[in-house]
Amino acid sequence: MAEPGGFVAEDGSARAANIFDVARLAGVSHQTVSRVINDLPNVRPATRARVEQAIAQLRYSPSPAARALVTRRTRTIGLVTPGALAFGPTSIAMHFNFAARAARYNVDTVSGLDNDPAAVRSVIEGLLRQRVDAIVLVVVDVGVLEIVRGLDLSVPVVAAASTPRRSPLIVSIDQYRGARSAVRHLAELGHTRILHLAGPTRATDALERVRGWRDELAERRLEAVEPSIGDWSAASGHRIAQSLEISPGSAIFVANDHMAIGVLSALRERGLRVPEDVSVVGFDDVPEAGYLYPALTTVRQDFDTLGELIMQKVLIAVEEPDSVTEDTPIPTHLVVRQSTAPPA
Protein backbone atom coordinates (compact mmCIF):
# COMPACT_ATOMS: atom_id res chain seq x y z
CA MET A 1 0.00 0.00 0.00
CA ALA A 2 1.36 3.44 -0.92
CA GLU A 3 2.10 6.05 1.72
CA PRO A 4 -0.21 9.11 1.84
CA GLY A 5 0.63 11.22 -1.20
CA GLY A 6 2.17 8.21 -2.95
CA PHE A 7 1.25 6.16 -6.02
CA VAL A 8 1.25 2.41 -6.70
CA ALA A 9 2.99 1.60 -9.99
CA GLU A 10 2.01 -1.27 -12.31
CA ASP A 11 4.74 -3.48 -10.84
CA GLY A 12 3.24 -3.00 -7.37
CA SER A 13 5.99 -0.72 -6.03
CA ALA A 14 5.09 2.47 -4.15
CA ARG A 15 6.41 5.84 -5.34
CA ALA A 16 5.35 9.47 -5.48
CA ALA A 17 2.94 10.28 -8.30
CA ASN A 18 4.39 12.39 -11.08
CA ILE A 19 2.94 14.66 -13.75
CA PHE A 20 2.66 11.81 -16.26
CA ASP A 21 0.57 9.76 -13.82
CA VAL A 22 -1.80 12.71 -13.44
CA ALA A 23 -1.99 13.14 -17.23
CA ARG A 24 -2.73 9.42 -17.72
CA LEU A 25 -5.51 9.40 -15.13
CA ALA A 26 -7.10 12.61 -16.46
CA GLY A 27 -6.75 11.52 -20.10
CA VAL A 28 -4.79 14.60 -21.15
CA SER A 29 -1.22 15.49 -22.11
CA HIS A 30 1.35 16.37 -19.48
CA GLN A 31 1.54 19.86 -21.03
CA THR A 32 -2.14 20.36 -20.16
CA VAL A 33 -1.46 19.28 -16.59
CA SER A 34 1.34 21.86 -16.43
CA ARG A 35 -1.02 24.57 -17.63
CA VAL A 36 -3.53 23.71 -14.92
CA ILE A 37 -0.86 23.53 -12.19
CA ASN A 38 0.52 26.93 -13.14
CA ASP A 39 -2.93 28.49 -13.59
CA LEU A 40 -2.31 29.35 -17.24
CA PRO A 41 -5.16 30.23 -19.66
CA ASN A 42 -6.61 28.26 -22.61
CA VAL A 43 -7.72 25.20 -20.64
CA ARG A 44 -11.40 24.32 -20.89
CA PRO A 45 -13.23 24.32 -17.53
CA ALA A 46 -14.23 20.65 -17.88
CA THR A 47 -10.63 19.65 -18.63
CA ARG A 48 -9.31 21.75 -15.74
CA ALA A 49 -11.78 20.09 -13.38
CA ARG A 50 -10.72 16.62 -14.58
CA VAL A 51 -7.04 17.41 -14.04
CA GLU A 52 -7.68 18.88 -10.59
CA GLN A 53 -9.66 15.77 -9.65
CA ALA A 54 -6.76 13.54 -10.78
CA ILE A 55 -4.27 15.69 -8.80
CA ALA A 56 -6.43 15.33 -5.69
CA GLN A 57 -6.93 11.58 -6.20
CA LEU A 58 -3.19 10.93 -6.60
CA ARG A 59 -2.23 13.56 -4.02
CA TYR A 60 0.22 14.93 -6.53
CA SER A 61 2.40 17.86 -5.37
CA PRO A 62 4.63 19.42 -8.04
CA SER A 63 8.06 20.52 -6.85
CA PRO A 64 8.93 24.23 -7.04
CA ALA A 65 11.86 23.38 -9.31
CA ALA A 66 9.59 21.59 -11.78
CA ARG A 67 7.16 24.49 -11.83
CA ALA A 68 9.99 26.96 -12.38
CA LEU A 69 11.16 25.01 -15.43
CA VAL A 70 7.71 25.32 -16.99
CA THR A 71 6.96 28.96 -16.15
CA ARG A 72 10.49 30.40 -15.81
CA ARG A 73 9.24 31.62 -12.43
CA THR A 74 9.79 30.34 -8.91
CA ARG A 75 6.79 32.17 -7.41
CA THR A 76 9.21 33.43 -4.77
CA ILE A 77 9.84 37.05 -3.79
CA GLY A 78 12.92 38.29 -1.98
CA LEU A 79 12.08 40.63 0.91
CA VAL A 80 14.86 42.79 2.38
CA THR A 81 14.08 44.38 5.75
CA PRO A 82 16.01 46.63 8.17
CA GLY A 83 18.09 44.94 10.84
CA ALA A 84 16.48 46.78 13.77
CA LEU A 85 13.06 45.71 15.00
CA ALA A 86 10.57 48.59 14.84
CA PHE A 87 6.78 48.71 14.70
CA GLY A 88 6.50 50.24 11.21
CA PRO A 89 8.95 48.04 9.24
CA THR A 90 7.85 44.91 11.11
CA SER A 91 4.19 45.65 10.32
CA ILE A 92 4.99 46.27 6.65
CA ALA A 93 6.86 42.96 6.37
CA MET A 94 4.06 41.05 8.12
CA HIS A 95 1.25 42.42 5.98
CA PHE A 96 3.29 41.97 2.79
CA ASN A 97 3.78 38.30 3.73
CA PHE A 98 0.00 37.97 4.19
CA ALA A 99 -0.63 39.50 0.75
CA ALA A 100 2.03 37.34 -0.93
CA ARG A 101 0.58 34.18 0.62
CA ALA A 102 -2.90 35.13 -0.63
CA ALA A 103 -1.42 35.46 -4.14
CA ARG A 104 0.24 32.02 -3.73
CA TYR A 105 3.79 33.38 -3.63
CA ASN A 106 6.54 32.41 -1.21
CA VAL A 107 8.70 35.05 0.50
CA ASP A 108 12.41 34.72 1.31
CA THR A 109 13.24 37.35 3.94
CA VAL A 110 16.71 38.76 4.59
CA SER A 111 17.27 41.21 7.47
CA GLY A 112 20.11 43.59 8.16
CA LEU A 113 19.90 46.14 5.33
CA ASP A 114 22.16 49.14 6.00
CA ASN A 115 23.41 52.13 4.02
CA ASP A 116 26.58 50.47 2.74
CA PRO A 117 26.20 50.10 -1.06
CA ALA A 118 28.37 46.97 -1.15
CA ALA A 119 26.31 45.33 1.62
CA VAL A 120 23.03 46.20 -0.11
CA ARG A 121 24.31 44.76 -3.38
CA SER A 122 25.54 41.62 -1.62
CA VAL A 123 22.13 40.98 -0.01
CA ILE A 124 20.34 41.46 -3.32
CA GLU A 125 22.78 39.26 -5.25
CA GLY A 126 22.20 36.50 -2.71
CA LEU A 127 18.46 36.65 -3.41
CA LEU A 128 19.03 36.72 -7.18
CA ARG A 129 21.04 33.49 -6.91
CA GLN A 130 17.90 31.92 -5.46
CA ARG A 131 16.08 32.91 -8.67
CA VAL A 132 13.46 35.11 -7.02
CA ASP A 133 10.85 36.64 -9.35
CA ALA A 134 11.06 40.09 -7.73
CA ILE A 135 12.70 41.92 -4.84
CA VAL A 136 10.89 44.04 -2.26
CA LEU A 137 12.83 46.33 0.08
CA VAL A 138 11.54 47.98 3.25
CA VAL A 139 13.64 51.14 3.31
CA VAL A 140 14.06 53.29 6.43
CA ASP A 141 17.36 55.07 5.68
CA VAL A 142 17.84 57.90 3.16
CA GLY A 143 21.17 56.43 2.01
CA VAL A 144 19.59 53.07 1.22
CA LEU A 145 16.79 54.83 -0.65
CA GLU A 146 19.32 56.47 -2.98
CA ILE A 147 21.00 53.10 -3.55
CA VAL A 148 17.63 51.54 -4.41
CA ARG A 149 16.91 54.30 -6.93
CA GLY A 150 20.13 53.39 -8.75
CA LEU A 151 19.51 49.63 -8.95
CA ASP A 152 19.33 48.08 -12.41
CA LEU A 153 18.43 44.42 -11.94
CA SER A 154 17.14 41.56 -14.03
CA VAL A 155 14.00 41.28 -11.88
CA PRO A 156 11.47 43.93 -10.79
CA VAL A 157 12.27 45.90 -7.63
CA VAL A 158 9.64 47.50 -5.39
CA ALA A 159 10.49 49.59 -2.34
CA ALA A 160 8.34 50.60 0.63
CA ALA A 161 9.78 54.01 1.48
CA SER A 162 8.75 57.51 2.55
CA THR A 163 9.93 60.21 0.17
CA PRO A 164 8.60 63.42 -1.40
CA ARG A 165 9.92 62.23 -4.80
CA ARG A 166 7.41 60.09 -6.69
CA SER A 167 8.63 56.95 -8.47
CA PRO A 168 6.97 53.92 -10.11
CA LEU A 169 9.01 51.58 -7.89
CA ILE A 170 8.00 53.29 -4.61
CA VAL A 171 5.03 52.35 -2.42
CA SER A 172 4.39 54.48 0.64
CA ILE A 173 2.09 55.70 3.39
CA ASP A 174 1.65 59.48 3.39
CA GLN A 175 3.83 60.41 6.37
CA TYR A 176 3.89 64.08 5.35
CA ARG A 177 0.13 64.62 5.39
CA GLY A 178 -0.20 62.41 8.46
CA ALA A 179 2.13 64.78 10.31
CA ARG A 180 0.22 67.80 9.05
CA SER A 181 -3.05 66.31 10.31
CA ALA A 182 -1.53 65.87 13.80
CA VAL A 183 -0.29 69.47 13.94
CA ARG A 184 -3.55 70.76 12.46
CA HIS A 185 -5.50 69.00 15.21
CA LEU A 186 -3.36 70.65 17.90
CA ALA A 187 -3.58 74.08 16.27
CA GLU A 188 -7.36 73.84 15.89
CA LEU A 189 -7.60 73.03 19.61
CA GLY A 190 -5.92 76.41 20.22
CA HIS A 191 -2.28 75.44 20.83
CA THR A 192 0.17 78.00 19.49
CA ARG A 193 3.42 76.41 20.73
CA ILE A 194 3.68 72.97 19.17
CA LEU A 195 6.99 71.20 19.82
CA HIS A 196 8.24 68.21 17.86
CA LEU A 197 10.16 65.18 19.07
CA ALA A 198 11.53 63.72 15.82
CA GLY A 199 12.95 60.34 14.89
CA PRO A 200 16.55 59.69 13.71
CA THR A 201 17.94 62.20 11.22
CA ARG A 202 18.56 59.57 8.51
CA ALA A 203 15.13 57.91 8.88
CA THR A 204 12.90 58.48 5.84
CA ASP A 205 9.69 58.43 7.91
CA ALA A 206 11.11 60.90 10.42
CA LEU A 207 12.19 63.34 7.71
CA GLU A 208 8.73 63.36 6.13
CA ARG A 209 7.07 63.90 9.52
CA VAL A 210 9.39 66.82 10.28
CA ARG A 211 8.57 68.31 6.86
CA GLY A 212 4.83 68.00 7.53
CA TRP A 213 5.20 69.56 11.01
CA ARG A 214 7.20 72.52 9.65
CA ASP A 215 4.87 73.18 6.71
CA GLU A 216 1.70 73.10 8.81
CA LEU A 217 3.21 75.50 11.34
CA ALA A 218 4.43 77.79 8.54
CA GLU A 219 0.99 77.86 6.92
CA ARG A 220 -0.52 78.89 10.26
CA ARG A 221 2.32 81.37 10.97
CA LEU A 222 3.29 79.58 14.17
CA GLU A 223 6.87 79.42 15.43
CA ALA A 224 8.81 76.22 14.75
CA VAL A 225 11.23 75.50 17.60
CA GLU A 226 14.08 73.24 16.41
CA PRO A 227 12.91 69.64 16.97
CA SER A 228 14.52 67.29 19.48
CA ILE A 229 15.90 64.05 18.03
CA GLY A 230 15.07 60.63 19.47
CA ASP A 231 15.80 57.08 18.36
CA TRP A 232 12.20 55.74 18.18
CA SER A 233 12.46 54.18 21.68
CA ALA A 234 10.36 54.97 24.78
CA ALA A 235 13.65 55.52 26.65
CA SER A 236 14.69 58.32 24.29
CA GLY A 237 11.25 59.95 24.56
CA HIS A 238 11.47 59.81 28.35
CA ARG A 239 15.01 61.22 28.44
CA ILE A 240 14.24 64.13 26.12
CA ALA A 241 10.93 65.05 27.80
CA GLN A 242 12.66 65.20 31.21
CA SER A 243 14.58 68.31 30.13
CA LEU A 244 12.32 69.69 27.37
CA GLU A 245 11.34 73.33 27.89
CA ILE A 246 7.58 73.03 28.31
CA SER A 247 5.21 75.77 29.44
CA PRO A 248 1.56 75.14 30.35
CA GLY A 249 -0.59 75.22 27.22
CA SER A 250 2.16 73.72 25.05
CA ALA A 251 1.64 70.71 22.83
CA ILE A 252 4.05 68.02 21.64
CA PHE A 253 3.85 66.15 18.36
CA VAL A 254 5.91 62.99 18.87
CA ALA A 255 7.18 61.12 15.78
CA ASN A 256 6.09 57.68 17.00
CA ASP A 257 4.00 56.13 19.75
CA HIS A 258 6.85 54.42 21.57
CA MET A 259 8.64 57.73 22.14
CA ALA A 260 5.26 59.22 23.13
CA ILE A 261 4.95 56.55 25.84
CA GLY A 262 8.25 57.78 27.30
CA VAL A 263 7.08 61.40 27.00
CA LEU A 264 3.87 60.68 28.95
CA SER A 265 5.90 59.04 31.72
CA ALA A 266 8.38 61.93 31.96
CA LEU A 267 5.63 64.57 32.00
CA ARG A 268 3.88 62.75 34.83
CA GLU A 269 7.16 62.67 36.80
CA ARG A 270 7.50 66.43 36.28
CA GLY A 271 4.02 67.06 37.64
CA LEU A 272 2.61 68.13 34.27
CA ARG A 273 -0.86 66.81 33.50
CA VAL A 274 -1.85 65.47 30.08
CA PRO A 275 -3.94 66.94 28.50
CA GLU A 276 -4.75 69.68 31.06
CA ASP A 277 -1.23 71.19 30.96
CA VAL A 278 0.26 69.62 27.82
CA SER A 279 -1.35 67.91 24.82
CA VAL A 280 0.52 64.99 23.24
CA VAL A 281 0.05 63.38 19.82
CA GLY A 282 1.90 60.28 18.64
CA PHE A 283 2.25 58.48 15.32
CA ASP A 284 1.57 54.81 14.35
CA ASP A 285 -1.39 53.83 16.58
CA VAL A 286 0.38 50.86 18.16
CA PRO A 287 -1.97 48.31 19.79
CA GLU A 288 -1.20 49.72 23.26
CA ALA A 289 -2.04 53.35 22.34
CA GLY A 290 -5.68 53.18 23.37
CA TYR A 291 -4.82 51.65 26.76
CA LEU A 292 -2.32 54.23 27.99
CA TYR A 293 -3.25 56.79 30.63
CA PRO A 294 -4.43 59.00 29.17
CA ALA A 295 -5.28 57.13 25.95
CA LEU A 296 -3.01 58.47 23.21
CA THR A 297 -4.19 60.61 20.31
CA THR A 298 -2.15 59.37 17.35
CA VAL A 299 -1.91 58.95 13.58
CA ARG A 300 -2.88 55.50 12.33
CA GLN A 301 -1.04 53.94 9.38
CA ASP A 302 -2.81 51.42 7.14
CA PHE A 303 -0.16 48.69 6.95
CA ASP A 304 -2.71 46.14 5.71
CA THR A 305 -3.42 48.17 2.57
CA LEU A 306 0.29 48.92 2.12
CA GLY A 307 1.14 45.19 2.11
CA GLU A 308 -1.55 44.52 -0.50
CA LEU A 309 -0.41 47.46 -2.63
CA ILE A 310 3.22 46.26 -2.60
CA MET A 311 2.10 42.80 -3.72
CA GLN A 312 -0.15 44.28 -6.39
CA LYS A 313 2.77 46.29 -7.77
CA VAL A 314 4.96 43.15 -7.74
CA LEU A 315 2.34 41.15 -9.64
CA ILE A 316 1.97 43.85 -12.28
CA ALA A 317 5.75 44.12 -12.66
CA VAL A 318 6.16 40.33 -12.98
CA GLU A 319 3.12 39.53 -15.12
CA GLU A 320 2.71 42.77 -17.09
CA PRO A 321 6.29 44.08 -17.38
CA ASP A 322 5.38 46.77 -19.93
CA SER A 323 2.87 48.41 -17.59
CA VAL A 324 3.77 51.58 -15.70
CA THR A 325 2.28 52.21 -12.26
CA GLU A 326 2.22 55.41 -10.22
CA ASP A 327 3.15 56.00 -6.60
CA THR A 328 0.01 57.18 -4.84
CA PRO A 329 0.72 57.38 -1.09
CA ILE A 330 -1.82 55.70 1.17
CA PRO A 331 -3.58 58.21 3.45
CA THR A 332 -3.30 58.09 7.23
CA HIS A 333 -6.08 58.54 9.80
CA LEU A 334 -5.95 60.73 12.91
CA VAL A 335 -7.32 58.86 15.96
CA VAL A 336 -8.40 61.39 18.60
CA ARG A 337 -8.29 60.12 22.20
CA GLN A 338 -7.77 61.66 25.63
CA SER A 339 -4.17 62.97 25.39
CA THR A 340 -5.20 66.18 23.57
CA ALA A 341 -7.48 69.02 24.67
CA PRO A 342 -7.73 72.83 24.32
CA PRO A 343 -5.12 74.65 26.43
CA ALA A 344 -6.44 75.60 29.87
Side-chain angles (χ1 to χ4, degrees):
M1 182 175 177
E3 295 295 322
F7 175 77
V8 179
E10 292 179 0
D11 62 2
S13 61
R15 60 172 174 80
N18 59 40
I19 194 170
F20 300 102
D21 300 322
V22 174
R24 193 176 301 112
L25 182 59
V28 298
S29 68
H30 72 275
Q31 290 93 337
T32 299
V33 176
S34 290
R35 297 188 74 81
V36 172
I37 291 169
N38 293 289
D39 201 22
L40 298 175
N42 303 324
V43 179
R44 288 181 296 180
T47 303
R48 186 179 296 274
R50 203 160 66 246
V51 171
E52 289 173 347
Q53 183 179 354
I55 289 171
Q57 185 175 333
L58 296 175
R59 300 182 184 180
Y60 170 63
S61 179
S63 70
R67 293 182 65 163
L69 287 173
V70 175
T71 63
R72 302 291 182 186
R73 296 182 196 156
T74 60
R75 295 194 75 85
T76 300
I77 301 163
L79 173 64
V80 186
T81 62
L85 290 176
F87 178 75
T90 301
S91 299
I92 294 170
M94 179 179 70
H95 286 286
F96 171 69
N97 269 276
F98 292 160
R101 193 180 310 147
R104 295 188 297 142
Y105 272 76
N106 299 313
V107 179
D108 281 350
T109 303
V110 180
S111 298
L113 187 61
D114 55 32
N115 63 345
D116 175 10
V120 174
R121 174 65 67 174
S122 176
V123 166
I124 291 173
E125 286 177 351
L127 289 170
L128 291 176
R129 283 193 292 272
Q130 298 177 42
R131 299 185 61 211
V132 295
D133 294 338
I135 289 175
V136 171
L137 302 103
V138 179
V139 179
V140 298
D141 182 279
V142 289
V144 173
L145 182 58
E146 290 309 308
I147 294 167
V148 170
R149 290 185 187 279
L151 291 174
D152 183 16
L153 303 179
S154 58
V155 301
V157 176
V158 177
S162 300
T163 171
R165 292 168 56 192
R166 297 288 173 257
S167 166
L169 69 84
I170 299 290
V171 184
S172 62
I173 294 175
D174 201 335
Q175 311 293 328
Y176 171 77
R177 287 177 178 80
R180 292 197 65 157
S181 72
V183 178
R184 186 182 310 119
H185 168 66
L186 292 168
E188 289 176 349
L189 286 174
H191 293 284
T192 56
R193 188 169 190 266
I194 302 173
L195 307 175
H196 183 41
L197 200 171
T201 55
R202 293 183 60 86
T204 53
D205 287 352
L207 291 171
E208 282 299 279
R209 293 169 197 171
V210 169
R211 191 169 72 91
W213 167 75
R214 286 191 188 280
D215 286 358
E216 189 65 28
L217 289 181
E219 186 172 301
R220 295 175 178 275
R221 298 181 180 176
L222 297 176
E223 181 186 4
V225 178
E226 194 62 26
S228 303
I229 307 298
D231 62 8
W232 298 131
S233 71
S236 71
H238 182 270
R239 183 184 66 254
I240 291 168
Q242 282 181 317
S243 58
L244 200 61
E245 185 180 333
I246 303 170
S247 55
S250 295
I252 309 173
F253 167 44
V254 188
N256 79 331
D257 288 352
H258 285 110
M259 289 196 297
I261 290 170
V263 169
L264 292 177
S265 177
L267 293 177
R268 192 160 49 247
E269 291 170 6
R270 292 176 60 176
L272 292 167
R273 299 167 301 163
V274 176
E276 292 85 355
D277 298 324
V278 185
S279 284
V280 177
V281 179
F283 206 109
D284 282 338
D285 195 26
V286 298
E288 302 85 0
Y291 302 95
L292 300 173
Y293 184 77
L296 184 65
T297 295
T298 184
V299 179
R300 178 179 297 159
Q301 303 194 67
D302 190 350
F303 294 115
D304 191 348
T305 297
L306 182 66
E308 293 176 359
L309 189 58
I310 296 170
M311 190 62 212
Q312 188 179 82
K313 194 173 282 269
V314 168
L315 288 173
I316 292 172
V318 170
E319 298 174 3
E320 304 172 43
D322 295 330
S323 300
V324 177
T325 58
E326 295 299 323
D327 167 26
T328 304
I330 298 167
T332 56
H333 174 62
L334 180 70
V335 182
V336 179
R337 296 194 180 103
Q338 286 73 54
S339 67
T340 52

